[in-house]
Every structure is written in structure tokens, then in C-alpha cells.
Amino acid sequence: DTLLVGEGNLSFAKSLLRLAAAQITYMTATTFEKESDLNDEAASNARDLKRLGVLVLHSIDATQLKKNLRSYQYDTIIFQFPNVGSREAKYGHNPNHVLIRNFLRSAADFLKPSGRVIISAVDSPHYQGAFRLEEAAEFANYETPETYPFDLSMFSGYSHTNTNDEESVLDDHNRFVSRVFRQKL
């Protein structure tokens, strides 16, 4: 059972369904945007996913999942390339770090006991400093995350778009990682 948050154009959800190795039996895919604000590609992807049996929800804040999701426990919760699109400090921290901390806390209520959270990001010192994922994990009571390369070529049809514009972080970088978080017992 898989939950995807902040899915933007929903192309990662479609790509993941096509990946046999993912072994997905149930998927919920969410966007931060309202359904009426989706671009044509995202709206088309939403329709395709619904036809494939995926629960697609809109206006879902990854930091406040309890407000909009019914109680359900997932094996895997995925947040691909999270970014608030701002560098203005929030509570004295980079806003992306605050986003990750709050997302990890929010996700904990929806994880099965042996479940995992996966966050993919650019593999660079700048992004590592902005997100401070290890500190976010500690704050939200997760173990230090394991790090794996994220190979974009494995996800046919995936096209990432930024939150605030139609650009993509994937266009400007070529090294990406996925970090796997597990809750402390």
C-alpha cells in the first residue's frame, strides 16, 4: 500500500504503477493543488490513475495529512522532490527543512509499524544544507535515513514540475538520491 504526496502532475504515480518491481497493490496519489488548478497534463494523469483504481485526492497538505485523509496505514509514503519554492526563513530555519520536519511528523500517523517514508531530492551540498534531512528525522522520531541513488531512467514517463512554476529541478541537475526513513521503535 503506497501513498504519494505532493504529486504535482501525477506522472510519478503513473510511472510507479508501470514498474513491476514496485509491487503496488493499493495506491493513493495526492496533489497540493486544487483539482480545478491542475494543468492539462496533471488532469489527464489523474483521470488515467482513477481508471487504474488509484485513489486521487487534491488539496492535500503533506504536513497536515490528518485533516484530509481517512485513517489508513501505508507500507510506503513517498514525497518526490519536495520544495516550498521559497528561501524565506520560517521559525529560524530554511522553509524546506520545516516542510520535511512537519511532513515526517504528519506521515507517522499513516505508516504501518514496519513502514517507510521515501523522500527523493537533488544530491548536492546545497540541497543537503537546505533540507537537513538527518535533523528532520531526529526531530520527527525517525532513524537516520538510508540513502540510495535515484535513477530517473527507471521511471518512464516521469516529468517533475516545480511547485511555483513549470520548470523542473531535474533539468538543472543530474545526481539525485532517495532517502528512506523508518520510525524509531
Side-chain angles (χ1 to χ4, degrees):
D1 295 349
T2 302
L3 169 65
L4 293 99
V5 300
E7 259 300 90
N9 65 15
L10 296 161
S11 65
F12 186 73
K14 279 182 64 174
S15 175
L16 199 56
L17 281 179
R18 288 191 289 263
L19 191 62
Q23 299 178 351
I24 294 174
T25 55
Y26 177 78
M27 179 186 283
T28 301
T30 71
T31 67
F32 181 70
E33 296 78 18
K34 295 185 288 186
E35 185 172 13
S36 61
D37 291 340
L38 296 179
N39 65 28
D40 291 342
E41 176 189 15
S44 174
N45 287 339
R47 286 189 297 275
D48 291 347
L49 288 166
K50 288 175 184 176
R51 279 193 293 270
L52 294 169
V54 174
L55 177 61
V56 180
L57 303 171
H58 306 285
S59 302
I60 305 296
D61 183 338
T63 67
Q64 299 180 23
L65 294 173
K66 272 190 172 181
K67 280 188 171 183
N68 297 300
L69 291 182
R70 65 182 177 4
S71 289
Y72 192 82
Q73 300 279 285
Y74 295 91
D75 298 299
T76 305
I77 300 175
I78 301 173
F79 200 165
Q80 287 295 103
F81 299 96
N83 195 318
V84 297
S86 169
R87 293 186 183 178
E88 190 172 321
K90 190 171 184 179
Y91 311 115
H93 296 282
N94 181 295
N96 287 307
H97 173 68
V98 175
L99 168 68
I100 297 303
R101 286 183 350 176
N102 293 339
F103 161 64
L104 287 171
R105 276 200 168 162
S106 180
D109 293 324
F110 294 87
L111 266 184
K112 290 181 181 175
S114 61
R116 63 191 177 168
V117 173
I118 301 172
I119 299 174
S120 297
V122 173
D123 186 12
S124 79
H126 170 75
Y127 280 82
Q128 290 167 12
F131 287 89
R132 297 187 348 247
L133 294 168
E134 289 76 15
E135 288 178 41
E138 182 64 31
F139 175 85
N141 202 35
Y142 287 77
E143 297 173 1
T144 300
E146 302 165 14
T147 302
Y148 301 94
F150 177 77
D151 183 357
L152 186 60
S153 69
M154 289 180 57
F155 301 96
S156 174
Y158 176 43
S159 61
H160 170 268
T161 56
N162 289 343
T163 302
N164 295 332
D165 53 43
E166 292 297 316
E167 296 180 16
S168 174
V169 70
L170 304 181
D171 296 336
D172 298 328
H173 301 278
N174 58 11
R175 290 184 39 209
F176 313 101
V177 293
S178 292
R179 290 190 174 81
V180 178
F181 298 78
R182 297 184 191 280
Q183 291 181 294
K184 290 181 180 178
L185 300 177

